[in-house]
Amino acid sequence: MISVPRWLLMALAAMFSGYHVVLGASSLSTDVAASPWPIIVALVLYAVATVLSLWPARRARMPDWLAALDLAVGIVLPVLVTSQLDPSRDNGYATWYVAAVGTLMTIAAARRQLVVAWAGVIVLAVQTVLWAGPLALGQLGVIGSLVWVAIAHMLSAALASAARATRRYAQAEREAAAWQAAQDAHLFEGRMRLAQTQRLAAPMLRRIADASHALSDAERAECRTLEAAIRDEIRGRMLLTDAVRAAVRHARDRGATVTLLDEGGIDELDEAERDRILSELADVVETTRAERIIARTAAEGSPVAVTVVGLSGGNGETVESEDAEVELWLEIPRGG
């Protein structure tokens, strides 16, 4: 991609604008103008408007007050200069104001004041027709000024479209990078949990696969405990720490049924906050005597991080049992 320094463009515009001032000043030495003072006033107004329009600014778009000033100068310049000229004569460089107004309006168009730019050159064209007739549009260069504003309009529109496309592509790239990072995280988490599951289940699976070994009642109970632990690794996700695993295993060893459900409600928490919440969860699971314990993460955005429910009585298997009584209801909040 080839880029042009902004200062170079501004320097070229300043040189081009200064050329019109030189032409206007040189026309004062001729006897074309009836009086030089209106032309001098026009030169000063044009120079001030050009300097303000080309002055370095952070925003590419020209301020509205400056655009209004440029439009006013573009309207006043033709009136001041032509009031001292004879439309029936060859005025030579005395018609410098035509190119000057065109340049000033081109600068306004380049700085995204398109309405002002078109208004300025249209007023110039109308004034020229009223002053010298339709043929003067080509003779004095008004058509050239219209063309320059049109080119600046198209370039400005193209650059704005390119800037919008660049922002869309950058946003799409960020979203793609975030998606790839999420996929990598899911893959890493899956591999980690698979390794954890293998570490838990491999010894028992080898004993089950051994045809010469008959499982004892204690080993069958251990199988059920391992099956529940593996289910925790799948459904518990971020709810699991070494302390939570130990507390859950202790609760199951005493005969309690424990269910861990992580639905993504604490994924966005930082590590310190998550450790605080899970430490409290481990303490609750360790100390409660409920027969059925359910820990579930709350919805994202909720002031509650984890809800813990403990039930006792009934058949110990279903939450809907009419005989079950709520022994524990705890909501662990976010933010301490």
Side-chain angles (χ1 to χ4, degrees), residues 158-180:
L159 290 175
S161 177
R164 288 193 297 269
T166 300
R167 288 193 294 269
R168 287 197 299 268
Y169 292 148
Q171 179 64 24
E173 183 178 3
R174 287 192 294 269
E175 292 176 355
W179 179 85
Q180 184 62 47

Side-chain angles (χ1 to χ4, degrees), residues 93-111:
Y93 292 143
T95 57
W96 60 273
Y97 70 90
V98 175
V101 172
T103 301
L104 191 60
M105 294 301 103
T106 300
I107 295 173
R111 294 195 61 184

Side-chain angles (χ1 to χ4, degrees), residues 38 76 84 320:
V76 170
Q84 306 304 313
E320 295 81 8

Side-chain angles (χ1 to χ4, degrees), residues 116-132:
V116 169
W118 280 112
V121 291
I122 289 173
V123 170
L124 173 65
V126 172
Q127 192 275 338
T128 301
V129 171
L130 294 176
W131 178 65

